[in-house]
């Protein structure tokens, strides 16, 4: 002990707060005898003997301890919070009487509140007034920062999460959940948080490899804790067609998801503020459809079929694909629909017009004497995009389906999902950006997890994504200029199942765990991460999830 101060350390689930008990004691002196000195710390002074006529000194009461705390530090979460205003205080952790409460007038947050209450094993009191020890969720439509932003205030033994929309408040609850796991408390102070990019997600190839509904639901729950908001489902390819169809049941593979299972997936995704983006890829990657409709297979002048390629000169080809687009636009309620457009095999030969004269003839008939096969393919893309746009969806397509130099140009409203600069028709990222196009990053150098590692692919690592990649790195490892950042809408980490048996579903889940966490970090905040890779990995292990 020194100077009347005793330092006591309390450990609160890993978060250590220094509590200083200040015991300040006034010394007392006998006014008639010249004084008796200063009492020992923590004791009152009384006269040695009673003096007639002297005032009896009033004993000094035992002082009450007072607490001070060091400034709080930001919680450890994935992704990290972007702004934390520290404060002095004990922070918050659920107690025996804690509950999650929805502020009056914010009843739409009931689902978010119930979910958090269940995760914290706390009570749920519905709409009402928050008490000490509670977490309160509230909408504040005047709050700035965008729909996915939130403010989290920890003060006076309670937590309040506000946001302009349900999604932002939900992300605030994810921060609470992770802060408790990583440090034992939600630190005192104010967190103001928002994502750098509006599209952040995972892309799953469920066509080449069947994944169960339960496995996909587990990925959704993991994504939600990482504040990812988009799941792409590539469910039609040469190998299989994996979702039940009423318009064309003949194309569906024996092992597939029923529409009831899809609706269950969609319901969970909605509760977790994740949009599911369906993809029916065409005019390539249609092998499963063509097995049921071989008369539509693209053939060259020798009658040789091209794998997965549909003959886009035939009106029936468009009718079947459009039937499927309309059917799945009714099933999937989200904002986007992916129409593919990549790797059309007719355009990979040296002279498409000579090999496929029926396509060249159809191009001239539809678009004029100067039109080429690539114009017919671009027209196909625009027509499919128009179908999903008529259903109220924003179309997406792979970047190698956007051709230039022809008489037909891709519609400006189609989002370009940039994955490669190597395929026929692919260009450097800057050429898309200079056209003013909106681009989504699926850079195959960092974000492609291709089962079996064919075609010189290697499994991506979380370390490389965390240390090297940003949304500006669209191709290879070179970033585009910062001035184009506003056109890059975000990105997705993609699982492709080219060699489907190379890994089990459980191995895939384990393999993508750290890459997905690194991707989530860089899409929420593209700047330099606050933690080293080693510390980030340790944090991921502490938070759990993902398997």
């Amino acid at each position: 002990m020194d100077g009347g101060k005793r330092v006591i350390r309390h450990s609160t689930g890993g978060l250590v707060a220094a509590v200083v008990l200040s015991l300040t004691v006034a010394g007392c002196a006998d006014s008639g005898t010249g004084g008796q000195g200063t009492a020992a710390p923590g004791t009152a002074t009384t006269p040695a003997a009673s003096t007639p006529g002297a005032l009896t000194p009033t004993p000094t009461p035992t002082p009450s301890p007072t607490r001070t705390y060091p400034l709080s530090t930001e919680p450890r979460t994935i992704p990290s919070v972007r702004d934390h205003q520290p404060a002095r205080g004990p922070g918050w952790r659920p107690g025996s009487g804690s509950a999650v409460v929805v502020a009056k007038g914010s009843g739409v947050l009931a689902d978010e509140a119930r979910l958090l209450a269940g995760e914290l094993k706390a009570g749920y009191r519905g709409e009402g007034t928050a008490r000490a020890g509670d977490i309160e969720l509230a909408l504040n439509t005047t709050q700035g920062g965008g729909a996915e932003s939130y403010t989290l205030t920890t003060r006076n033994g309670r937590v309040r999460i506000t946001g302009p929309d349900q999604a932002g408040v939900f992300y605030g609850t994810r921060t609470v959940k992770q802060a408790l796991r990583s440090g034992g408390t939600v630190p005192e102070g104010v967190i103001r948080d928002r994502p750098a990019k509006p599209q952040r997600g995972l892309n799953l190839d469920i066509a080449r490899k069947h994944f169960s509904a339960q496995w996909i639901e587990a990925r959704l729950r993991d994504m939600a804790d990482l504040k990812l908001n988009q799941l792409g489902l590539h469910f039609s390819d040469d190998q299989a067609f994996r979702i039940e169809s009423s318009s064309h049941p003949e194309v569906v593979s024996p092992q597939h998801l029923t529409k009831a299972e899809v609706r269950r997936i969609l319901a969970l995704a909605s509760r977790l503020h994740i949009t599911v983006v369906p993809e029916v890829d065409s005019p390539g990657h249609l092998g499963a459809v063509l097995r049921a409709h071989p008369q539509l297979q693209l053939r060259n002048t020798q009658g040789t079929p091209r794998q997965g390629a549909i003959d886009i000169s035939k009106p029936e080809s468009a009718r079947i694909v459009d039937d499927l687009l309309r059917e799945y636009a009714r099933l999937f309620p989200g904002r986007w629909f992916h129409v593919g457009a990549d790797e059309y095999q007719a355009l990979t030969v040296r002279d498409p017009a000579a090999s496929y004269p029926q396509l060249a003839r159809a191009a001239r008939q539809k678009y004029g004497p100067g039109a080429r096969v690539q114009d017919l393919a671009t027209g196909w893309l625009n027509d499919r995009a128009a179908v999903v746009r008529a259903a109220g969806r924003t179309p997406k397509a792979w970047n190698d389906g956007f051709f230039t130099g022809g008489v037909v140009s891709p519609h400006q409203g189609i989002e370009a999902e940039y994955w490669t600069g190597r395929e026929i028709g692919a260009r450097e990222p800057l050429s898309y950006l200079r056209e003013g196009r909106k681009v989504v990053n699926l850079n195959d150098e960092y974000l492609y997890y291709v089962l079996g590692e064919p075609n010189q692919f290697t499994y991506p690592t979380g370390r490389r994504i965390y240390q090297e990649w940003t949304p500006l790195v669209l191709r290879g490892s070179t970033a585009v200029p910062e001035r184009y950042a506003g056109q890059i809408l975000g990105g997705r980490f993609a699982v492709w199942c080219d060699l489907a048996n190379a890994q089990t579903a459980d191995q895939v889940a384990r393999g993508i765990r750290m890459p997905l966490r690194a991707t989530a970090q860089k899409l929420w905040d593209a700047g330099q991460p606050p933690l080293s890779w080693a510390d980030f990995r340790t944090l991921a292990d502490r938070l759990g999830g993902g398997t």
Side-chain angles (χ1 to χ4, degrees):
M1 293 192 187
D2 182 35
K5 293 185 179 180
R6 184 161 54 97
V7 178
I8 303 174
R9 296 197 176 270
H10 295 282
S11 176
T12 308
L15 180 68
V16 179
V19 182
V20 181
L21 306 186
S22 301
L23 308 181
T24 305
V25 183
C28 296
D30 186 333
S31 57
T33 62
Q36 298 175 340
T38 302
T43 64
T45 302
T46 57
S50 177
T51 304
L55 293 175
T56 302
T58 303
T60 302
T62 301
S64 298
T66 59
R67 295 188 177 194
T68 60
Y69 294 86
L71 280 176
S72 61
T73 57
E74 71 177 52
R76 292 304 187 196
T77 61
I78 298 176
S80 59
V81 301
R82 300 187 70 185
D83 181 73
H84 174 246
Q85 179 183 331
R88 298 184 187 277
W92 180 92
R93 66 186 306 172
S96 58
S98 296
V100 182
V101 180
V102 175
K104 292 180 180 178
S106 298
V108 294
L109 296 173
D111 283 348
E112 289 78 8
R114 288 191 188 96
L115 176 62
L116 182 63
E119 291 169 330
L120 301 185
K121 296 180 172 56
Y124 168 65
R125 289 206 306 272
E127 283 191 60
T129 302
R131 307 169 190 166
D134 287 350
I135 294 184
E136 181 184 33
L137 310 185
L139 283 182
N140 180 358
T141 56
T142 64
Q143 184 172 316
E148 294 185 301
S149 67
Y150 67 92
T151 298
L152 191 159
T153 304
T154 306
R155 181 185 297 138
N156 298 328
R158 67 187 68 186
V159 174
R160 178 177 168 84
I161 304 171
T162 64
D165 190 81
Q166 291 167 257
V169 175
F170 175 72
Y171 294 143
T173 69
R174 302 305 87 195
T175 296
V176 167
K177 177 181 176 181
Q178 289 198 7
L180 291 171
R181 282 186 177 178
S182 64
T185 66
V186 182
E188 202 85 4
V190 180
I191 293 168
R192 294 180 178 88
D193 205 9
R194 68 194 185 283
K197 294 298 178 184
Q199 295 187 37
R200 310 175 305 279
L202 172 67
N203 210 73
L204 289 178
D205 172 9
I206 65 171
R208 295 180 178 93
K209 183 179 183 69
H210 175 70
F211 292 97
S212 69
Q214 292 81 3
W215 190 90
I216 295 170
E217 288 166 352
R219 305 287 72 72
L220 288 170
R221 293 187 181 93
D222 189 44
M223 290 170 62
D225 282 352
L226 300 173
K227 301 184 175 80
L228 296 173
N229 66 358
Q230 196 176 85
L231 174 67
L233 287 184
H234 176 90
F235 63 89
S236 169
D237 212 301
D238 296 343
Q239 292 77 1
F241 194 104
R242 298 287 190 185
I243 294 180
E244 174 187 352
S245 172
S246 56
S247 67
H248 288 281
E250 74 280 1
V251 307
V252 179
S253 302
Q255 199 172 29
H256 64 271
L257 296 174
T258 67
K259 285 189 176 179
E261 288 175 315
V262 172
R263 291 188 183 102
R264 193 178 77 203
I265 290 168
L266 292 170
L268 176 61
S270 178
R271 291 195 298 273
L272 300 176
H273 298 277
I274 295 171
T275 300
V276 181
V277 181
E279 180 189 354
V280 176
D281 201 347
S282 77
H285 295 279
L286 282 171
V289 171
L290 292 170
R291 280 195 291 276
H293 296 275
Q295 76 280 9
L296 301 180
Q297 182 101 40
L298 178 66
R299 296 176 183 273
N300 65 14
T301 52
Q302 284 76 44
T304 305
R306 290 308 302 261
Q307 180 180 357
I310 201 167
D311 190 333
I312 59 177
S313 70
K314 296 182 176 181
E316 188 184 351
S317 296
R319 282 196 295 270
I320 288 178
V321 172
D322 290 350
D323 286 344
L324 295 168
L325 293 175
R326 293 187 181 101
E327 177 180 2
Y328 293 111
R330 291 190 295 270
L331 178 62
F332 291 87
R335 173 180 168 185
W336 296 276
F337 202 116
H338 205 303
V339 297
D342 61 311
E343 299 180 315
Y344 186 46
Q345 295 299 305
L347 295 168
T348 63
V349 299
R350 185 175 58 83
D351 188 346
S355 294
Y356 304 101
Q358 74 274 32
L359 300 183
R361 185 166 53 252
R364 292 190 297 270
Q365 289 172 349
K366 190 168 185 178
Y367 300 112
R372 296 174 291 164
V373 173
Q374 76 163 45
D375 294 301
L376 192 66
T378 299
W380 174 277
L381 167 61
N382 287 342
D383 290 346
R384 307 295 74 76
V387 170
V388 301
R389 218 168 21 246
R393 306 293 184 266
T394 298
K396 291 175 172 287
W398 299 112
N399 71 289
D400 52 316
F402 289 73
F403 297 101
T404 59
V407 300
V408 182
S409 297
H411 191 279
Q412 196 68 20
I414 306 170
E415 293 179 4
E417 304 236 312
Y418 198 98
W419 72 281
T420 184
R422 296 179 293 182
E423 299 293 325
I424 297 294
R427 295 171 277 139
E428 290 289 337
L430 280 176
S431 65
Y432 300 84
L433 296 168
R434 287 170 181 152
E435 294 170 359
R437 295 196 178 278
K438 302 294 186 182
V439 176
V440 179
N441 193 326
L442 288 95
N443 183 343
D444 64 352
E445 174 73 19
Y446 292 92
L447 305 180
Y448 262 36
Y449 191 94
V450 184
L451 296 199
E453 301 180 304
N455 303 320
Q456 298 182 317
F457 281 107
T458 58
Y459 292 127
T461 67
R463 180 195 289 268
R464 282 197 72 208
I465 297 168
Y466 191 77
Q467 295 178 339
E468 301 175 16
W469 180 82
T470 76
L472 292 173
V473 180
L474 285 162
R475 181 185 179 188
S477 57
T478 302
V480 299
E482 178 69 32
R483 66 180 178 273
Y484 292 111
Q487 290 173 238
I488 301 172
L489 303 176
R492 294 195 305 283
F493 185 84
V495 177
W496 297 104
C497 302
D498 291 38
L499 300 176
N501 295 323
Q503 289 189 343
T504 66
D506 288 344
Q507 288 172 324
V508 172
R510 289 194 296 271
I512 69 174
R513 183 176 180 273
M514 288 309 299
L516 191 62
R517 278 149 179 74
T519 303
Q521 171 64 40
K522 303 302 278 290
L523 288 170
W524 189 267
D525 185 349
Q528 182 67 29
L531 299 179
S532 68
W533 169 250
D535 288 344
F536 183 82
R537 183 160 193 154
T538 298
L539 174 61
D541 290 342
R542 186 181 306 158
L543 294 174
T547 56

